Amino acid sequence: MKFDVMRPASLVTLAFALMVLCVAPTAAAAPGQPDPQTAAVQTVIETANQEQAQALASGDPSVMSDTATAAYYRQLTQTNQDLTAENASSIELIQLTWGSIQSNGSAATATTSETWLTTFSDGSTQESTDTNVYSLVNQSGTWLIAADAHPTPDPAQTTPPSPQPTPQIPMPMVPVGPNTSRNWAGYAATGGGYTSVTGTWTVPQPNVMGGPGIGATWVGIGGVSSRDLIQAGTQDATAGGQAQFQAWIEMLPQASQQVPLGVAPGDSVTVSIEEQGAGSGAWHISITNNTSGQTFQTSASYMSSESSAEWIEEAPSGPGGILPLDNFSSVSFSSTSATQNGSDVDLSEAGAMPITLLNANEQPLAVPSAIDSDGASFDVTRTAAPATTGNGTGRGRRGGGPRP
């Protein structure tokens, strides 16, 4: 079940109440075939999850009444009201794993691990994984949920990461060495004359266990050997067993801006940045969620050196320097291209060079693969090296957002 979401901007002080009842995927049952009592308990919990998601989406709490006691129904109704007050527009249970289930015929307890995805009205999303300990009672042959307890997490680990750290003034590129950087991994093409860049990737699912981390996936123009950089992409951040996702645009030295486009793990996203006439300073930026079919578009005035084009996975920065890169596993870029001196080129034709991100101990932290045979695809893989932080800057930076 899902309770109130603690958003970083509003900090609802309901300890760690992120237990939302949503549509449950196929549950991972305990070994062996469950007996009828166990199966009945599982069914009512799964149904309750479906009903809470439906109630939030429709604004009709009555759909939750058939799986809850009267007292618990009132609690769920208040929970959904609190979620609505936090501007949550939908909730979705994306993973449910069963733990122990015990029943004596008249009462039962069931433990689950549930991962929920909350979507807010501004398009941002938040993911959380919680342990739920359900208490159920059997009333006239029907199982009803009477309570849902959540073991109290370590308070030091429950503060979600802020999606908008204080902006820093961009610094010129300080490469660690040939084809290495403190904050970028991916490919960059230099030589000048770049008036458009595009790329497609799948929003990664970072590991929410462990320490906090953040990652930004983007395409852009400028920034390798200049202070200017126009860019757009997606961001994922983790802390305290939660993850947040957003889409953003940025034009240095201004801070990055979140845009009203929802993105979630597994979504395919295509970003395009195009100047409307070389040297005009008139740009068109488009971010399309290919999975949901929604698109954000905007026009901007920005003077660019047009010196380089990039396809990057980044460890963003905050006031103290580069932030820890999250464990995103891997990001696959495809359909990458740019326009150079009026001609459309892929990575190979542009002579794009790989960039490996190093941590403060000079260990590879994120490594690009070779360019695929199509000339337009590659992967960036997160290594097992620790995400040590530092005060140095790398190639460009996402001003305002978690960036260096």
Side-chain angles (χ1 to χ4, degrees), residues 311-332:
W311 301 262
I312 297 296
E313 175 68 24
E314 179 180 4
S317 296
I322 300 172
L323 299 172
L325 182 67
D326 62 12
N327 188 357
F328 61 87
S329 183
S330 67
V331 173
S332 296

Side-chain angles (χ1 to χ4, degrees), residues 70-156:
Y72 189 59
Y73 170 69
R74 290 192 295 271
Q75 181 181 348
L76 286 175
T77 299
Q78 183 61 54
T79 293
N80 274 14
Q81 291 175 352
D82 292 339
L83 286 166
T84 300
E86 284 296 295
N87 296 316
S89 57
S90 68
I91 53 178
E92 178 185 3
L93 180 59
I94 58 178
Q95 183 175 356
L96 185 154
T97 302
W98 293 102
S100 65
I101 299 176
Q102 298 180 352
S103 171
N104 63 11
S106 61
T109 59
T111 301
T112 67
S113 175
E114 300 177 7
T115 300
W116 293 92
L117 182 69
T118 304
T119 301
F120 297 93
S121 58
D122 62 4
S124 62
T125 58
Q126 180 170 307
E127 183 180 310
S128 64
T129 300
D130 302 293
T131 298
N132 298 260
V133 181
Y134 292 95
S135 297
L136 300 91
V137 294
N138 192 326
Q139 295 185 357
S140 303
T142 300
W143 285 105
L144 299 176
I145 300 174
D148 179 13
H150 296 250
T152 304
D154 180 354

Side-chain angles (χ1 to χ4, degrees), residues 26-53:
T26 301
Q33 192 69 22
D35 63 26
Q37 295 261 27
T38 297
V41 167
Q42 291 177 331
T43 297
V44 73
I45 291 174
E46 291 172 347
T47 301
N49 284 339
Q50 296 172 358
E51 292 175 344
Q52 190 183 7

Side-chain angles (χ1 to χ4, degrees), residues 121-376:
S121 58
D122 62 4
S124 62
T125 58
Q126 180 170 307
E127 183 180 310
S128 64
T129 300
D130 302 293
T131 298
N132 298 260
V133 181
Y134 292 95
S135 297
L136 300 91
V137 294
N138 192 326
Q139 295 185 357
S140 303
T142 300
W143 285 105
L144 299 176
I145 300 174
D148 179 13
H150 296 250
T152 304
D154 180 354
Q157 299 295 322
T158 60
T159 302
S162 169
Q164 295 291 335
T166 303
Q168 288 185 318
I169 298 173
M171 301 292 291
M173 180 187 71
V174 183
V176 180
N179 301 108
T180 57
S181 168
R182 288 285 184 226
N183 61 326
W184 287 14
Y187 276 83
T190 57
Y194 291 97
T195 55
S196 80
V197 63
T198 188
T200 297
W201 61 86
T202 299
V203 177
Q205 171 65 76
N207 185 350
V208 299
M209 300 304 170
I214 195 163
T217 313
W218 54 269
V219 300
I221 292 178
V224 171
S225 58
S226 64
R227 291 177 178 268
D228 62 280
L229 177 59
I230 180 170
Q231 55 187 160
T234 60
Q235 175 180 292
D236 43 276
T238 64
Q242 302 180 40
Q244 294 179 329
F245 305 87
Q246 62 176 236
W248 54 269
I249 62 174
E250 183 178 29
M251 289 160 279
L252 297 183
Q254 301 300 315
S256 64
Q257 300 177 9
Q258 181 181 343
V259 302
L261 177 70
V263 293
D267 287 353
S268 169
V269 174
T270 297
V271 177
S272 177
I273 302 173
E274 182 178 5
E275 190 173 21
Q276 309 298 292
S280 67
W283 296 84
H284 181 263
I285 303 173
S286 173
I287 307 176
T288 298
N289 185 327
N290 303 310
T291 302
S292 69
Q294 297 180 326
T295 297
F296 169 82
Q297 299 184 67
T298 189
S299 297
S301 178
Y302 184 73
M303 296 311 298
S304 169
S305 65
E306 304 175 353
S307 56
S308 57
E310 302 88 27
W311 301 262
I312 297 296
E313 175 68 24
E314 179 180 4
S317 296
I322 300 172
L323 299 172
L325 182 67
D326 62 12
N327 188 357
F328 61 87
S329 183
S330 67
V331 173
S332 296
F333 285 81
S334 62
S335 302
T336 60
S337 65
T339 301
Q340 183 182 29
N341 298 321
S343 298
D344 294 335
V345 293
D346 60 24
L347 290 176
S348 297
E349 293 166 337
M353 298 300 293
I355 302 171
T356 294
L357 191 158
L358 303 182
N359 65 15
N361 296 326
E362 309 301 324
Q363 298 170 310
L365 195 58
V367 181
S369 68
I371 299 172
D372 289 350
S373 58
D374 64 0

